[in-house]
Amino acid sequence: YSHKPVAPELYESVVHLQHRGTDAAGIMTYDKRMHIEKGMGLARDIFTEDNLSLLTGNIGISHNRYPTHGGFSHGEVQPVWTSVPYGIAISHNGQLTNYDELVEEVTQKEKRYLNTTSDTEVLLHILANELDKNGVPNTSEEFFDHLCVAVSSIFKKVNGAYSVTALVVGKGLVVFRDPRGIRPLVRGERDNNGKKDYIFSSENTMFYSLGYEPTGNVLPGELIYIDNDGEMFSKRLV
């Protein structure tokens, strides 16, 4: 979350973190709608000045892929997104160990269609379905309450490792880490003309070049939400 366009800095970030995955990379940003660019291979070969200019907005997520589950097609490249409800996109670092059970719930019980064999897509649809149960919130406080219920349900259902960054259209940036904190997720802040910018990542390698100060880890079982106006809400659910 920034008070200036995020695409150039997300690109710099995936270049800094290229060692975490060289199979594919993706960037998604959000203003009034989602904008995405992703592809197979190295970040420097996927992103150009022209396609980065299309990724407008001050909120965004990015990902380097090293497959631990699923195939190697373009559809598995993260971020992945669904349009119902709101429009939600996620990037996920980890591996779900009860994948088959979760697939059955998503496809048979909830009647959602899975386009890939990626466990990230399963996690996306579980989050979307849980948010869809709680009605339409009018305020950021109400939406954070809905997130707390949804992510608490994920913590009960989903086994394995998952550090997640997500975009929700009209709402902002969502970050959470599994209750055991199996995979890393660090956080940073910087001053931007008297306003605060936030960054979350598997490593803080790019924090220094982008002017962010490390502020510790997202805690195991913690949920963080930053709304469109830059207000932060956080709660350790487990």
Side-chain angles (χ1 to χ4, degrees):
Y1 178 95
S2 179
H3 289 86
K4 61 182 180 181
V6 294
E9 294 190 344
L10 287 170
Y11 170 69
E12 185 172 339
S13 296
V14 290
V15 170
H16 271 281
L17 295 181
Q18 189 71 81
H19 59 279
R20 296 196 67 90
T22 58
D23 291 80
I27 296 175
M28 178 171 273
T29 61
Y30 154 69
D31 40 30
K32 294 182 179 179
R33 51 171 291 194
M34 297 285 200
H35 309 278
I36 188 167
E37 185 68 39
K38 59 184 183 178
M40 310 296 290
L42 300 177
R44 69 187 184 197
D45 298 323
I46 298 166
F47 303 108
T48 66
E49 186 174 343
D50 287 340
N51 61 33
L52 284 173
S53 70
L54 302 176
L55 300 175
T56 56
N58 291 7
I59 307 175
I61 57 177
S62 57
H63 189 264
N64 283 323
R65 179 163 168 77
Y66 170 74
T68 56
H69 197 285
F72 292 86
S73 71
H74 188 274
E76 266 86 4
V77 183
Q78 300 182 45
V80 295
W81 77 288
T82 181
S83 59
V84 179
Y86 308 109
I88 302 172
I90 75 169
S91 290
H92 157 230
N93 175 30
Q95 186 171 4
L96 310 188
T97 56
N98 60 336
Y99 170 80
D100 292 338
E101 174 188 335
L102 296 172
V103 167
E104 184 173 351
E105 175 177 336
V106 168
T107 58
Q108 302 302 315
K109 182 180 177 182
E110 306 300 343
K111 307 300 182 185
R112 286 179 172 266
Y113 172 72
L114 294 176
N115 195 49
T116 71
T117 57
S118 166
D119 55 356
T120 304
E121 188 184 13
V122 172
L123 187 57
L124 166 68
H125 282 292
I126 293 173
L127 174 61
N129 188 65
E130 293 298 329
L131 284 175
D132 206 19
K133 294 177 179 178
N134 296 322
V136 180
N138 294 314
T139 66
S140 293
E141 289 80 3
E142 290 177 353
F143 183 65
F144 182 63
D145 289 341
H146 289 194
L147 279 170
C148 288
V149 173
V151 176
S152 293
S153 181
I154 288 174
F155 287 165
K156 293 174 183 176
K157 292 181 180 181
V158 179
N159 299 331
Y162 44 100
S163 293
V164 172
T165 57
L167 300 180
V168 183
V169 171
K171 303 301 179 184
L173 178 67
V174 177
V175 178
F176 59 91
R177 189 178 180 199
D178 69 75
R180 297 183 183 276
I182 298 170
R183 296 294 174 86
L185 191 58
V186 295
R187 54 192 290 181
E189 298 179 6
R190 73 178 175 195
D191 179 76
N192 192 339
N193 295 319
K195 298 178 181 179
K196 195 168 288 187
D197 294 345
Y198 300 95
I199 189 170
F200 304 88
S201 179
S202 296
E203 299 178 28
N204 63 12
T205 310
M206 80 295 280
F207 284 19
Y208 307 97
S209 64
L210 297 179
Y212 282 91
E213 289 290 330
T215 55
N217 297 302
V218 177
L219 298 175
E222 185 177 16
L223 165 68
I224 297 173
Y225 165 52
I226 301 170
D227 71 10
N228 286 330
D229 297 321
E231 183 175 0
M232 175 186 280
F233 302 80
S234 66
K235 186 175 183 180
R236 195 170 186 187
L237 303 174
V238 177

